[in-house]
Amino acid sequence: MHTVSGKVIKGRGYGRKIGFPTVNLDRKQYVRLPKKPRLGIYAGTAHIQGEEKEYRTAIVIGPRERNGLPKIEAHLLSFTGVLYGRRIELSLTKYLRGFMSFTGEEKMRRQIIKDIKTTRQVINLTR
């Protein structure tokens, strides 16, 4: 699968607002990837530079913004803390689905809960 890395930057805070805080990555490394991952939702792991622990992670690549680059954000399961300015590496283990449109925030929240449950099932950390 793919690996995407970058420095954690400030996002809009929408994930936190709906109960699923995410880290947003700058895309400097992404633009250099010879083969880019397809847009969508992934189950994977996150490794924070300088730490031993890996975190199960639900990852979003996209949608594309005005500059043509996709957003890259990840919800690290069982992580609390602030990572702004830190480097993080995301390993995209399994493609879960493409983007969906939602008629309301609650429907989107239910889908995110399903994606997180699938991520927990797919990613079994032995460390």
Side-chain angles (χ1 to χ4, degrees), residues 7-16 22-26 65 71-73 84:
K7 185 170 75 170
V8 176
I9 60 173
K10 188 149 181 68
R12 293 185 353 220
Y14 186 69
R16 181 174 318 284
T22 61
V23 294
N24 293 266
L25 270 60
D26 71 21
E65 295 180 326
K71 292 189 298 183
I72 302 171
E73 57 185 313
Y84 295 126

Side-chain angles (χ1 to χ4, degrees), residues 3-95:
T3 300
V4 180
S5 62
K7 185 170 75 170
V8 176
I9 60 173
K10 188 149 181 68
R12 293 185 353 220
Y14 186 69
R16 181 174 318 284
K17 176 186 172 242
I18 63 169
F20 306 99
T22 61
V23 294
N24 293 266
L25 270 60
D26 71 21
R27 282 121 349 145
K28 291 175 186 166
Q29 296 294 326
Y30 176 86
V31 296
R32 295 184 194 129
L33 291 174
K35 185 175 180 194
K36 295 173 180 49
R38 66 180 162 163
L39 303 181
I41 313 303
Y42 291 84
T45 57
H47 180 261
I48 302 164
Q49 187 177 37
E51 293 188 17
E52 294 288 322
K53 186 174 180 179
E54 259 186 338
Y55 296 90
R56 285 187 272 197
T57 306
I59 303 163
V60 179
I61 307 288
R64 294 194 188 281
E65 295 180 326
R66 288 184 193 166
N67 63 8
L69 294 173
K71 292 189 298 183
I72 302 171
E73 57 185 313
H75 175 67
L76 283 65
L77 284 58
S78 70
F79 177 84
T80 56
V82 177
L83 294 172
Y84 295 126
R86 306 264 313 264
R87 292 199 62 74
I88 191 168
E89 181 178 272
L90 303 174
S91 296
L92 287 58
T93 304
K94 182 175 178 160
Y95 182 82

Side-chain angles (χ1 to χ4, degrees), residues 77 111-122:
L77 284 58
Q111 182 60 52
I112 292 170
I113 290 167
K114 287 179 187 176
D115 295 338
I116 290 171
K117 181 179 179 183
T118 302
T119 296
R120 288 186 194 285
Q121 292 169 344
V122 168

